[in-house]
Amino acid sequence: MRVNINSWFASVKSACPICGRGSSQGSQSIPIPIKHPAPRQVMATLCGSCRQAIPWIAYPTCRICGRAERCEDCIRRQVRHFSISRCAVGYDKPMKDWLALYKYRGNEQLELVLAAMLAFAYERLCEAIQPDFHAITSVPLAPERLLDRGFNQAERLAIRLANWYGLSYSPMLERLRHTEKQSLKTRRSRVVDMRGNFAAVSTALFSPTIILVDDIYTTGSTLDECARVLQQANQIEAKTTVYGLLWARS
Ligand SMILES: [Zn+2]
Ligand SMILES: [Zn+2]
């Protein structure tokens, strides 16, 4: 039996990275709401029904956290350390499945798709403020979770975004387990002894504007605590503005 290698490659290439079906069917009529050509190209590999399933947050109701619905969290919060944040999509059942698929498979194609979706949030953030970003970083995972999974999804997405948009990525935070606090105090990279779960590392210094990436925004408390720590690390020089960039808003 002769196998046509070219057509085999073509069919593999055109399979939707989410559902595995042919990606060209019915997808042309569904617009991709991203300007940058690289993430656009990634989104174009999705089939029509997967592309249609994405609950983009095109017009956030909450101007602070970028939520599509009216937001009690931001109304209740009395002190906020991050400036504003933007989220790409609402965290519905399909998006939960997509993220779970990526988290547990670590598939590179899925990673590209999620990063391309984050690009949508980045472009919305640039519309909301003057884009004069100097640095981009991500919310770190707890050491034991990093060991379990082998990678930090927020960091992976942030690095891809940084490459597309010419931003400078560096890890600026570490996540501490409370029980490890004492032993970690001696580490040289540690510049701030903090109250919560995060500490800034030396790369966090001298960054007047920071974009902080995470996968899910739930209450905003992780984002806010990270922003507080980053600001505290920079206090001697100047006030640091921290913007949140999240893949999904729950
Ligand atoms: Zn699909
Ligand atoms: Zn809000």
Side-chain angles (χ1 to χ4, degrees):
M1 193 183 96
R2 276 192 68 185
V3 176
N4 184 334
I5 295 292
N6 285 338
S7 72
W8 183 79
F9 274 120
S11 71
V12 167
K13 214 182 149 195
S14 66
C16 170
I18 304 289
C19 68
R21 286 191 292 257
S23 64
S24 53
Q25 289 149 352
S27 60
Q28 281 88 349
S29 58
I30 302 152
I32 299 168
I34 300 164
K35 289 192 193 104
H36 194 292
R40 276 186 71 85
Q41 213 164 28
V42 173
M43 294 312 293
T45 64
L46 266 65
C47 75
S49 60
C50 286
R51 240 199 266 173
Q52 203 146 33
I54 302 172
W56 298 114
I57 304 177
Y59 304 102
T61 302
C62 181
R63 291 182 175 276
I64 294 165
C65 74
R67 193 179 194 174
E69 303 84 31
R70 189 186 138 82
C71 175
E72 293 299 327
D73 296 341
C74 288
I75 294 165
R76 267 198 303 266
R77 189 185 292 115
Q78 291 183 342
V79 184
R80 188 177 74 250
H81 295 92
F82 68 92
S83 172
I84 60 165
S85 67
R86 284 296 175 265
C87 314
V89 296
Y91 198 40
D92 62 4
K93 177 72 170 72
M95 296 303 105
K96 276 180 193 164
D97 293 344
W98 291 18
L99 185 65
L101 209 63
Y102 168 54
K103 271 187 181 176
Y104 301 107
R105 280 196 201 154
N107 179 307
E108 195 181 341
Q109 263 200 307
L110 282 170
E111 183 176 299
L112 273 167
V113 172
L114 301 197
M117 290 164 75
L118 189 67
F120 172 81
Y122 175 71
E123 291 186 358
R124 299 291 81 71
L125 182 67
C126 292
E127 282 169 7
I129 49 158
Q130 284 295 328
D132 58 344
F133 307 119
H134 296 252
I136 181 166
T137 193
S138 57
V139 173
L141 279 182
E144 63 271 31
R145 291 191 65 188
L146 189 60
L147 265 176
D148 276 355
R149 195 173 297 151
F151 66 98
N152 176 358
Q153 69 279 1
E155 181 174 56
R156 292 278 186 91
L157 302 184
I159 289 170
R160 293 212 180 257
L161 194 80
N163 290 338
W164 284 331
Y165 291 89
L167 306 165
S168 144
Y169 180 87
S170 56
M172 294 185 186
L173 294 160
E174 60 182 352
R175 198 166 200 143
L176 313 170
R177 281 170 59 197
H178 288 288
T179 48
E180 283 180 346
K181 257 190 150 180
Q182 289 306 315
S183 63
L184 278 167
K185 269 182 183 167
T186 54
R187 275 173 61 165
R188 210 193 290 168
S189 64
R190 183 87 174 281
V191 292
V192 176
D193 182 21
M194 55 163 296
R195 293 163 254 170
N197 293 326
F198 300 94
V201 298
S202 52
T203 45
L205 292 173
F206 315 116
S207 304
T209 316
I210 298 169
I211 304 178
L212 182 59
V213 172
D214 205 359
D215 51 0
I216 311 296
Y217 184 117
T218 307
T219 62
S221 54
T222 299
L223 177 65
D224 200 57
E225 178 60 13
C226 287
R228 187 187 71 78
V229 171
L230 290 171
Q231 284 178 333
Q232 202 174 55
N234 279 283
Q235 216 171 38
I236 311 149
E237 284 301 308
K239 193 169 154 58
T240 293
T241 307
V242 180
Y243 297 104
L245 199 63
L246 302 106
W247 179 73
R249 179 70 164 89
S250 81

